[in-house]
Amino acid sequence: YRPGKMQDKPWIAMDENKRSRFKGSVYVSWTEFDKYGSKDPRDSSRIRFAYRRNKTDTFVTIVVSDSCGDAEDGDNTLEGATAAVGPMGEIYCVWAGKNKIWMDVSTDGGKTWGVDKIIAQQQSGWAINDIPGLMRSNNMPFIKCDSKGNVYLVFGDKNKGDYDVFIKMSQDGGQTWSSEQRVHSDLSGNGCDQYMPHLALDASNDDVYV
């Protein structure tokens, strides 16, 4: 709780990697609004992150994003922050905003972060307001890391005429990424919407489920 601020869309992750020196740590990522829904340019949004080490009840909170979005709760707001933990305890945090997917990485258990990096374009933005029968939905990103260190990203976009779900993979800790590909097999641009994806990995064999 921060007086006057609004905290939104928290997601949780945990370090369960045997080789990680941060094993047992709990992580939470979310958006903080200066004033929810405000159109005042002095109000903004940012990505916050909290970590808790094993066997303690105290969370330490910091700001991850290097820049801010607006506070209107739309495509130019920074939202949908989720995190994944790699085999050695490295943390990947991604979020959407300004028609892009952003990522930052921490190698010290969430205490410090690097420089925000754009890892995908999101032409239609994350906010969905135009699917018949829905008042509102979203296409925010999710990220996971397998036992080999491969990082997977899913998100949605409408860059081919209707809403599709895309996946990308990095084999070098997020330095470079594969080209995005649709995860479904219907014809591109056929008017069928797929949206609001989520991602899970099978810990026993690294199979990917979207």
Side-chain angles (χ1 to χ4, degrees):
Y1 174 68
R2 283 161 54 81
K5 310 292 184 182
M6 188 266 202
Q7 314 298 328
D8 190 35
K9 294 183 178 65
W11 290 93
I12 194 166
M14 186 170 181
D15 189 341
E16 301 178 285
N17 298 286
K18 295 179 180 179
R19 292 181 289 165
S20 170
R21 60 193 173 107
F22 306 108
K23 184 178 184 296
S25 294
V26 179
Y27 304 124
V28 185
S29 52
W30 71 95
T31 292
E32 179 181 73
F33 288 83
D34 285 334
K35 184 178 180 181
Y36 179 79
S38 172
K39 295 184 179 182
D40 189 328
R42 292 172 296 181
D43 293 323
S44 60
S45 57
R46 64 202 58 85
I47 302 302
R48 295 187 69 89
F49 184 88
Y51 62 89
R52 191 203 76 174
R53 299 295 176 230
N54 198 21
K55 298 181 181 178
T56 80
D57 292 322
T58 301
F59 277 90
V60 177
T61 65
I62 59 172
V63 174
V64 173
S65 53
D66 298 330
S67 61
C68 293
D70 67 25
E72 294 187 35
D73 193 21
D75 289 330
N76 290 318
T77 307
L78 305 187
E79 290 201 46
T82 62
V85 185
M88 302 305 294
E90 62 276 25
I91 309 169
Y92 304 93
C93 185
V94 296
W95 61 91
K98 305 177 183 179
N99 298 93
K100 298 172 177 61
I101 306 297
W102 304 78
M103 183 188 74
D104 206 341
V105 181
S106 173
T107 58
D108 59 4
K111 293 169 76 173
T112 62
W113 294 79
V115 177
D116 299 347
K117 181 178 180 180
I118 298 168
I119 58 173
Q121 299 294 323
Q122 193 176 36
Q123 180 178 301
S124 61
W126 61 258
I128 297 177
N129 303 295
D130 58 347
I131 293 181
L134 290 182
M135 183 185 77
R136 193 180 189 209
S137 188
N138 68 70
N139 265 328
M140 292 171 182
F142 280 87
I143 192 167
K144 294 289 182 181
C145 190
D146 69 17
S147 64
K148 303 179 185 68
N150 297 315
V151 187
Y152 300 89
L153 169 77
V154 294
F155 64 98
D157 201 1
K158 197 181 181 181
N159 57 13
K160 299 182 184 300
D162 51 55
Y163 287 106
D164 293 315
V165 172
F166 296 94
I167 190 167
K168 300 183 72 163
M169 183 181 76
S170 174
Q171 296 178 299
D172 56 8
Q175 294 299 310
T176 60
W177 290 82
S178 67
S179 58
E180 60 195 48
Q181 67 179 61
R182 296 164 78 239
V183 301
H184 38 92
S185 58
D186 61 316
L187 293 176
S188 179
N190 67 350
C192 293
D193 294 312
Q194 281 97 162
Y195 58 97
M196 209 173 185
H198 206 330
L199 177 66
L201 269 65
D202 188 331
S204 68
N205 57 16
D206 287 335
D207 282 353
V208 180
Y209 295 85
V210 179

